[in-house]
Amino acid sequence: MIRIGVLASGGGTNLQAIIDACERGDIDGSVVIVISDKADAYSLVRARKRGIEAVSIPPEGTGREEHEKLVDATLQKARVDLVVLAGYMRILTPWFINRYLGRMMNIHPALLPSFGGKGMYGEHVHRAVIEYGCKLSGCTVHFVVPEVDGGPIIIQESVPVLEEDTPDSLASRIHPLEHKLYPKAIALFASGKLKIEGRRVRIID
Amino acid sequence: MIRIGVLASGGGTNLQAIIDACERGDIDGSVVIVISDKADAYSLVRARKRGIEAVSIPPEGTGREEHEKLVDATLQKARVDLVVLAGYMRILTPWFINRYLGRMMNIHPALLPSFGGKGMYGEHVHRAVIEYGCKLSGCTVHFVVPEVDGGPIIIQESVPVLEEDTPDSLASRIHPLEHKLYPKAIALFASGKLKIEGRRVRIID
């Protein structure tokens, strides 16, 4: 049983999918803490509804490093084995990322390495995919490294981009894929089946 | 019925798939000429076997522009509506490309815009995909523009990258996809269903 900490800024539909997967037993672990930088994030409500510790750590009035130290201390206290970024809208410093190297995941709503990097989040990603004229997009779960969206890839799946797609409609086709792939990647981690070798993640049977 | 000209440097398995699709009637057109820069290219043999004009235009002893002018004149004489690059190993000049803008296609054995650009062909592509640690690759058919691998995308499909994949094994999984998608893209062009709008290719029903 691994202990999972989730960082989230928004509504937390991925968080919900992860909590559900833990409760169903699909993941050999449980979400023990949810931390948000927004006091009114619905992810905090989702956590409390399931009896999970929910902590808001607003960055206002603290420096970036001080804020991260608070987040880190809170994760440490909760003794988490894995940190999951679920719509966490703050860029993390290399200091923080290096503390959780190989045990922090993120999800990206496109097929990395395409359409990743700074500024590429949410609607921006889907708009770029459509404007480029791609016929496929998808979703990537990866370990977090200091280079934004550049970490070892755990799992990827594609969806078609349709003729009439808008960023919204494409996003709504990718969301269910996220809710499937993120728990799947976490389940593999929880059962010790992920082995990072340089840039590659091997899935051990 | 469109008239198709194919430029090929090698064995021409994509050429074969296209000829077969024309003969089956899947493409409303026919390959009327195959041009190779290699006198001993097996694509020329494939063409002749099916009674298709096969011309070798070796670049040795001519400048790049002179060579392209010969290729262009040969295509003009054959009155081609569409030029298909099928493993043509020469970088084309903007002059040539601009003459066939919107009526010249290429196929790339990866999911563009990832793993495209200069130097990214054949085994190099598959090696880069595996070394990056992607879990998906695939195949892209696109119109040719002066920017290498940067043209409007007609069609894309993905294949999984497997744990034990080598560049060779990945290539061998992508080849059948190429043989399916290239004729499909050409068939759409032949039936007037492709409409280029900026970077995007619309498929009209």
Side-chain angles (χ1 to χ4, degrees):
Chain A
M1 283 281 282
I2 65 159
R3 300 172 64 85
I4 302 164
V6 177
L7 306 189
S9 301
T13 58
N14 273 316
L15 166 65
Q16 192 62 55
I18 294 161
I19 293 173
D20 292 347
C22 288
E23 292 189 353
R24 275 198 310 273
D26 291 350
I27 295 171
D28 187 20
S30 56
V31 178
V32 294
I33 191 162
V34 174
I35 300 173
S36 181
D37 54 331
K38 308 278 181 201
D40 60 350
Y42 190 66
S43 4
L44 298 175
V45 178
R46 287 188 198 273
R48 287 186 193 114
K49 276 186 179 175
R50 301 297 180 98
I52 296 165
E53 189 182 356
V55 182
S56 127
I57 307 180
E60 291 79 18
T62 61
R64 191 203 254 204
E65 284 182 24
E66 199 187 333
H67 179 258
E68 280 191 351
K69 277 182 183 162
L70 278 170
V71 173
D72 177 49
T74 310
L75 290 168
Q76 297 286 333
K77 207 175 139 204
R79 291 174 293 115
V80 304
D81 303 297
L82 176 70
V83 176
V84 171
L85 305 181
Y88 190 62
M89 298 302 287
R90 295 176 63 78
I91 297 278
L92 296 163
T93 66
W95 172 80
F96 187 91
I97 290 169
N98 286 324
R99 282 182 78 80
Y100 292 94
L101 222 51
R103 49 196 189 104
M104 179 156 63
M105 289 182 188
N106 194 18
I107 192 159
H108 188 79
L111 295 175
L112 293 174
S114 288
F115 305 107
K118 227 177 152 183
M120 279 292 177
Y121 58 90
E123 198 194 320
H124 301 286
V125 176
H126 305 301
R127 188 175 300 281
V129 166
I130 289 169
E131 285 177 357
Y132 192 92
C134 287
K135 299 295 186 186
L136 273 190
S137 190
C139 170
T140 304
V141 183
H142 61 89
F143 285 109
V144 177
V145 298
E147 187 202 338
V148 180
D149 296 326
I153 294 170
I154 301 163
I155 202 163
Q156 289 185 303
E157 240 178 73
S158 66
V159 296
V161 180
L162 304 181
E163 287 302 308
E164 65 278 10
D165 260 335
T166 61
D168 267 2
S169 67
L170 181 55
S172 72
R173 201 140 7 85
I174 291 176
H175 280 146
L177 196 61
E178 295 182 39
H179 302 159
K180 185 183 89 171
L181 291 194
Y182 220 167
K184 199 170 163 185
I186 295 167
L188 288 168
F189 181 91
S191 56
K193 287 187 178 161
L194 299 181
K195 195 175 163 209
I196 303 176
E197 293 177 0
R199 278 212 54 80
R200 299 179 65 181
V201 179
R202 293 202 178 269
I203 297 173
I204 306 155
D205 258 333
Chain B
M1 282 282 282
I2 64 159
R3 299 172 63 83
I4 302 163
V6 176
L7 306 189
S9 301
T13 59
N14 273 316
L15 166 65
Q16 192 62 55
I18 294 161
I19 294 173
D20 292 347
C22 289
E23 293 188 353
R24 275 198 311 272
D26 291 349
I27 295 171
D28 186 22
S30 56
V31 178
V32 295
I33 191 162
V34 173
I35 300 174
S36 181
D37 54 331
K38 307 279 182 201
D40 60 349
Y42 190 67
S43 7
L44 297 174
V45 178
R46 287 188 198 272
R48 286 186 194 114
K49 276 187 177 174
R50 300 298 179 98
I52 297 165
E53 190 183 355
V55 182
S56 126
I57 308 181
E60 292 79 17
T62 62
R64 192 204 253 204
E65 283 182 25
E66 199 186 334
H67 180 257
E68 279 191 350
K69 277 183 182 161
L70 278 170
V71 173
D72 177 49
T74 310
L75 290 169
Q76 297 287 334
K77 208 176 139 203
R79 292 174 293 114
V80 304
D81 303 296
L82 177 70
V83 177
V84 171
L85 305 180
Y88 190 61
M89 297 303 288
R90 294 177 63 78
I91 297 278
L92 296 163
T93 67
W95 172 81
F96 187 91
I97 290 169
N98 285 324
R99 282 180 79 79
Y100 293 93
L101 222 50
R103 49 196 189 104
M104 178 157 61
M105 289 182 188
N106 193 17
I107 193 161
H108 188 80
L111 296 174
L112 293 174
S114 288
F115 306 107
K118 224 176 154 184
M120 277 293 175
Y121 58 88
E123 197 195 322
H124 301 287
V125 176
H126 306 301
R127 189 175 298 282
V129 166
I130 289 170
E131 284 178 357
Y132 192 91
C134 287
K135 299 296 185 184
L136 274 188
S137 190
C139 170
T140 304
V141 183
H142 62 89
F143 285 111
V144 178
V145 297
E147 186 201 340
V148 179
D149 296 325
I153 293 170
I154 301 162
I155 204 164
Q156 290 186 300
E157 239 177 75
S158 66
V159 296
V161 179
L162 305 181
E163 287 301 309
E164 64 279 8
D165 260 335
T166 61
D168 268 1
S169 67
L170 181 55
S172 71
R173 200 140 6 86
I174 291 176
H175 280 146
L177 196 61
E178 296 183 38
H179 303 158
K180 185 183 89 172
L181 291 194
Y182 220 168
K184 198 170 165 186
I186 295 167
L188 288 168
F189 181 91
S191 55
K193 287 188 177 161
L194 298 182
K195 194 173 162 213
I196 303 177
E197 293 176 359
R199 278 212 54 81
R200 299 179 65 180
V201 179
R202 291 202 180 270
I203 298 173
I204 305 156
D205 259 333

